[in-house]
Amino acid sequence: MSLNILVAEDNAFTASQYTKILEKNGHKVQVAKDGVECIETYEKALSEFDSLDKNPFDVVLLDNNMPKKSGVEVAKEILDKNPEQKIIFVTSYQKWAVEDETDDLFDKIVLLEKPFTLNQLSRKIESLV
């Protein structure tokens, strides 16, 4: 099963590692280097997408700490545009540390705490679809 995945990650090395494992598993990956670029990429894909009953991306993978807009801000904007979008929120903080920020997103996003292996990331993504 090939998935279309949007990755928002400001660390170039981390983004390249995500891309390598996901593409190795047959997925198509687009990378945004910050929160603003992620929103722009998402909006462009949404406007070009012709099906109303599907998402432009199977999964959006968001880093919590990004320049210009945080992962929480990006998640809220994406879910405002498309409440059905599946989002994995990657954070180096323990789950309880971001729960206040993500309370209203709790049932709409999946939290993945660092550190994790690339195989764990891949399995988490594939379990959502």
Side-chain angles (χ1 to χ4, degrees):
M1 157 179 49
S2 177
L3 302 176
N4 192 19
I5 302 168
L6 175 58
V7 174
E9 172 60 63
D10 61 311
N11 181 303
F13 176 76
T14 302
S16 74
Q17 293 300 301
Y18 291 171
T19 300
K20 281 180 191 169
I21 188 70
L22 295 171
E23 287 180 346
K24 180 181 161 203
N25 290 343
H27 306 308
K28 183 179 174 216
V29 179
Q30 280 187 264
V31 176
K33 66 183 179 300
D34 61 51
V36 171
E37 187 177 306
C38 181
I39 293 294
E40 290 169 355
T41 302
Y42 191 87
E43 286 175 342
K44 183 174 187 279
L46 197 58
S47 70
E48 293 172 353
F49 207 63
D50 55 1
S51 174
L52 296 175
D53 61 340
K54 289 191 158 203
N55 298 323
F57 296 96
D58 296 296
V59 176
V60 176
L61 184 66
L62 294 176
D63 184 33
N64 181 36
N65 292 324
M66 289 187 292
K68 300 183 183 176
K69 282 187 190 250
S70 72
V72 170
E73 292 171 310
V74 172
K76 287 179 181 179
E77 281 192 49
I78 286 175
L79 291 168
D80 281 346
K81 297 173 192 327
N82 186 357
E84 301 303 313
Q85 180 62 61
K86 290 180 171 67
I87 295 176
I88 296 178
F89 194 73
V90 178
T91 180
S92 55
Y93 301 106
Q94 291 190 335
K95 192 174 181 174
W96 57 265
V98 292
E99 280 179 346
D100 285 346
E101 283 184 86
T102 60
D103 255 356
D104 51 341
L105 302 173
F106 187 72
D107 59 342
K108 298 178 181 172
I109 64 171
V110 174
L111 278 173
L112 184 59
E113 293 176 42
K114 293 178 185 175
F116 52 82
T117 68
L118 294 173
N119 285 330
Q120 286 171 320
L121 170 65
S122 189
R123 282 194 305 273
K124 178 67 81 176
I125 287 171
E126 291 167 6
S127 75
L128 286 180
V129 291

